[in-house]
């Protein structure tokens, strides 16, 4: 018997709407080549505009829906996926890229 059943409680955990877009940090498994990792991400999104940045140390920041981020976790070459918040204008100033 679970704790919820003992107390006659119901537990509901609602996440964000699966279609809500956000920024996500995606890390690759150490054994995965970085170029293959980036190519895999681009293949999933079909456009480079969703790949905000990536680094050879093994991570990328991508813009995608919450539902897609959850599905991304199933790929063998992905180590972890988590939401991030940042200011795109500040990022552009630091990286020297034109503002998004």
């Amino acid at each position: 018997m679970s704790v919820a059943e003992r107390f006659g409680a119901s537990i509901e955990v609602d996440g964000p709407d699966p279609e809500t877009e956000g920024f996500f940090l995606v890390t690759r498994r150490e054994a995965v080549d970085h170029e293959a990792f980036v190519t895999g991400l681009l293949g999933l999104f079909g456009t480079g505009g969703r790949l905000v940045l990536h680094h050879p140390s093994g991570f990328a920041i991508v813009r995608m829906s919450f539902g897609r981020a959850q599905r991304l976790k199933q790929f063998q070459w992905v180590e972890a996926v988590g939401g991030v918040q940042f200011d795109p204008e500040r990022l552009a100033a630091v990286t020297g890229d034109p503002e998004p």
Side-chain angles (χ1 to χ4, degrees):
M1 178 178 272
S2 73
V3 173
E5 291 170 332
R6 281 190 208 148
F7 290 99
S10 63
I11 300 172
E12 293 181 33
V13 179
D14 293 326
D17 179 344
E19 298 305 314
T20 300
E21 291 234 337
F23 294 97
F24 294 86
L25 174 70
V26 183
T27 59
R28 63 174 167 80
R29 297 200 183 275
E30 192 173 327
V32 175
D33 176 71
H34 187 69
E35 292 303 317
F37 171 68
V38 171
T39 300
L41 289 173
L42 291 172
L44 290 171
F45 303 124
T47 175
R50 293 194 169 272
L51 181 62
V52 178
L53 67 88
H54 64 91
H55 191 271
S57 65
F59 73 87
I61 295 180
V62 294
R63 184 175 52 87
M64 64 183 145
S65 70
F66 178 76
R68 183 171 266 183
Q70 296 305 304
R71 290 189 301 274
L72 190 59
K73 293 177 182 182
Q74 72 186 359
F75 291 97
Q76 297 276 337
W77 44 273
V78 173
E79 179 71 28
V81 179
V84 295
Q85 291 184 340
F86 65 93
D87 181 342
E89 291 176 7
R90 280 184 158 171
L91 177 66
V94 170
T95 62
D97 292 336
E99 289 186 27

